[in-house]
Amino acid sequence: MEPMSDRSATDAGRPADAVLLTAVSNTARESARVSEREGRVRQRTERLNRISNALVAAVSAQAIAEVVSGEASEAVGARAATFGLLTDDNTMFEIELHSGVAEDVVAQWHRFPNLGSLPFPHVVRTQQPLFVGTCAEYARRFPSIAEQYARHGFQASAILPLSTNGRVLGALSLEFGEPREFPDDECAFLTTIANQTALALDRARLYEQEQAARTEAEQANRAKSNFLAVMSHELRTPLNTISGYIDLMLAGVHGPLPEPYAGYADRIRAAQKYLTGLIDSVLRFAKIEAGQITYDIGTHGVADLLRSLEPLVEPQVTARNIAFVLEPGDPAQQVRADSEKVIQILLNLVANALKYTEPGGTVTVTTLCAGPTVGIRVSDTGRGIPQDQIESIFEPFVQVGALTRETEGVGLGLAISRELARGMDGELNVTSTMGQGSCFTLRLPAA
Ligand code: ADP
């Protein structure tokens, strides 16, 4: 007989108020059930939010595993959690992250093939979560490990694939000490956790890869700097010998050099000077890269610094037939800097300005005071720098445009200058218009 007609028959034989009372208490029970379910859903949502936030903050696989085994296990009462992560070629599972699993199990299943009737290979193959409520069902599905499963007191399992963005990372298994059912809302809850865990693991993997790449790049850079430093040092020694002997020859210690040898010696001298300058630049750059430069920071008057520049650039200015205008500005203005490094930067900027400006042009050095910094500006009326290459000129060994005998260099001057400026908490920038000129600004902290 249908249950409904059963109840109708009973109701028919009872007084109306008794029927009403039963209906009222049924409604009360139903609304209690509804609010209990709502409470459970609310708790789950709060827990999911907490887990999501914790997973976002976790940057290592270990931290992610701790969040999941702690929070998720507590939420559903799991006794153990095991993460099986696939190797890059998807052929093997590795278990490094786990909690509540006996040592002998971990030792045996530390690494195993992605094959056969085992829980992890199964869910990775089907890409569907698997909820096993009893020992008997587990034995039926995975007979080869049923005995071990029962021996460790497990009675039910939730086995969830871990995949994200089309990439299968592995699987997660939660084990329970009692037989149990898995209601729909719990299955959905665990599936969501597995999805978020996969996302977090993928993020952690990318983060680890990025860290490893960065460390590798830093090591390669250090190796390059060491190589440059050693090579420059080794080249400098024979160059010093060449320089000494040429000086001796040109001084005519053993009598004047006959032509054409005097002319040859002059050329050797010029080439040696050029090479020495080049090697010094490489050595300086290598030292900066290796963090071996020390800064002697003090308070200096900007006008004094600029005035000390003038005699140093005068020979080049005269040789190039270029007007050199110095506007030192407020005599009281001071900067916090290493005066030697400032002069080194300015010498380089002025040398470039003279190099890339045609005879008859003008190179101007001025100061600008703005807030906490002081700017020293070196501008020229030279050939300018193309906009699309303006930032690359600060990179080492970058040179722009055709090089002539006058403009030949090594492409390190600006890279060194910017590093030195930054080493003094300053900055070096440029603006330029093709055909009209360039304007380099060195900014330093005002004193
Ligand atoms: P180098 O002068 O040894 O080539 P730098 O690092 O000093 O190396 O300069 C890099 C490049 O920037 C130069 O090759 C040149 O193309 C460009 N450059 C620098 N200063 C100027 C300038 N004042 N005017 C035009 N181009 C410049």
Side-chain angles (χ1 to χ4, degrees):
M1 201 184 280
E2 288 289 307
M4 191 59 205
S5 49
D6 214 351
R7 195 178 333 130
S8 309
T10 317
D11 287 354
R14 284 162 60 189
D17 51 352
V19 173
L20 195 66
L21 265 178
T22 311
V24 168
S25 78
N26 279 347
T27 315
R29 259 202 302 276
E30 180 56 22
S31 77
R33 258 199 303 274
V34 168
S35 70
E36 191 189 305
R37 197 167 48 236
E38 281 174 357
R40 240 191 3 249
V41 169
R42 204 176 38 250
Q43 264 184 6
R44 283 260 149 88
T45 312
E46 280 168 10
R47 199 179 274 275
L48 256 186
N49 283 343
R50 215 173 40 235
I51 294 174
S52 304
N53 290 340
L55 284 177
V56 166
V59 287
S60 70
Q62 181 64 41
I64 292 164
E66 275 165 22
V67 169
V68 175
S69 28
E71 286 273 7
S73 297
E74 192 187 314
V76 290
R79 249 184 47 188
T82 314
F83 294 76
L85 297 185
L86 281 167
T87 51
D88 284 344
D89 59 3
N90 283 359
T91 57
M92 302 292 284
F93 277 100
E94 288 177 339
I95 294 182
E96 280 176 13
L97 310 166
H98 51 83
S99 80
V101 184
E103 282 309 315
D104 62 321
V105 178
V106 175
Q108 183 184 347
W109 296 97
H110 179 63
R111 192 178 158 90
F112 61 95
N114 180 14
L115 288 173
S117 275
L118 292 169
F120 285 169
H122 173 84
V123 295
V124 159
R125 217 167 27 242
T126 60
Q127 280 300 293
Q128 292 295 325
L130 180 67
F131 300 96
V132 184
T134 62
C135 237
E137 193 191 341
Y138 201 92
R140 190 175 56 73
R141 285 184 173 275
F142 309 115
S144 64
I145 53 168
E147 188 274 322
Q148 189 177 44
Y149 186 77
R151 184 157 35 87
H152 286 93
F154 298 136
Q155 306 256 15
S157 289
I159 308 140
L160 307 135
L162 295 172
S163 51
T164 178
N165 300 325
R167 229 181 82 84
V168 186
L169 305 179
L172 160 66
S173 175
L174 299 174
E175 265 69 51
F176 300 83
E178 304 293 332
R180 71 193 318 277
E181 289 184 359
F182 289 93
D184 285 352
D185 61 337
E186 200 166 83
C187 293
F189 172 73
L190 291 174
T191 306
T192 308
I193 287 179
N195 291 342
Q196 294 195 353
T197 304
L199 259 178
L201 283 171
D202 202 35
R203 218 176 22 242
R205 186 181 56 86
L206 290 177
Y207 180 73
E208 270 170 26
Q209 277 174 0
E210 196 239 348
Q211 292 287 96
R214 184 188 300 237
T215 310
E216 205 176 304
E218 279 169 4
Q219 277 168 355
N221 208 27
R222 258 197 305 278
K224 181 203 70 186
S225 298
N226 278 345
F227 168 75
L228 287 179
V230 171
M231 189 201 70
S232 310
H233 186 74
E234 291 302 314
L235 286 176
R236 235 181 164 287
T237 316
L239 268 179
N240 286 343
T241 313
I242 294 172
S243 164
Y245 279 108
I246 285 291
D247 279 348
L248 262 181
M249 285 160 76
L250 286 173
V253 177
H254 302 291
L257 271 183
E259 282 303 341
Y261 301 108
Y264 293 166
D266 271 339
R267 282 187 210 166
I268 295 173
R269 184 90 181 98
Q272 171 268 319
K273 269 193 171 163
Y274 170 72
L275 258 185
T276 306
L278 203 140
I279 286 166
D280 282 350
S281 289
V282 174
L283 199 56
R284 212 171 302 134
F285 178 71
K287 275 189 176 165
I288 290 179
E289 285 251 294
Q292 286 172 4
I293 295 277
T294 50
Y295 294 86
D296 182 12
I297 303 287
T299 301
H300 303 280
V302 181
D304 294 340
L305 285 174
L306 296 199
R307 253 182 242 108
S308 66
L309 187 68
E310 204 162 15
L312 300 175
V313 299
E314 205 186 300
Q316 284 169 281
V317 169
T318 315
R320 298 276 299 145
N321 187 25
I322 286 173
F324 182 68
V325 181
L326 194 64
E327 293 169 353
D330 181 358
Q333 184 62 58
Q334 293 189 313
V335 284
R336 297 267 315 142
D338 179 329
S339 58
E340 242 179 59
K341 309 280 189 302
V342 176
I343 294 292
Q344 195 178 327
I345 296 170
L346 294 177
L347 271 180
N348 184 42
L349 296 180
V350 173
N352 275 351
L354 293 170
K355 231 168 33 170
Y356 300 107
T357 302
E358 289 298 308
T362 307
V363 171
T364 311
V365 183
T366 48
T367 52
L368 328 149
C369 302
T373 63
V374 174
I376 304 177
R377 179 167 286 180
V378 178
S379 49
D380 60 57
T381 56
R383 70 183 193 191
I385 303 157
Q387 276 310 309
D388 59 340
Q389 297 179 34
I390 202 134
E391 266 308 304
S392 66
I393 60 171
F394 292 101
E395 282 164 26
F397 304 107
V398 169
Q399 294 180 294
V400 178
L403 296 178
T404 62
R405 224 181 112 65
E406 285 81 42
T407 62
E408 70 186 358
V410 62
L412 279 177
L414 290 177
I416 291 175
S417 299
R418 184 175 256 185
E419 285 304 317
L420 290 179
R422 289 180 176 172
M424 296 185 284
D425 292 331
E427 187 52 280
L428 177 62
N429 285 312
V430 62
T431 55
S432 185
T433 309
M434 280 303 279
Q436 290 186 24
S438 307
C439 180
F440 285 83
T441 307
L442 166 67
R443 291 213 157 271
L444 293 168

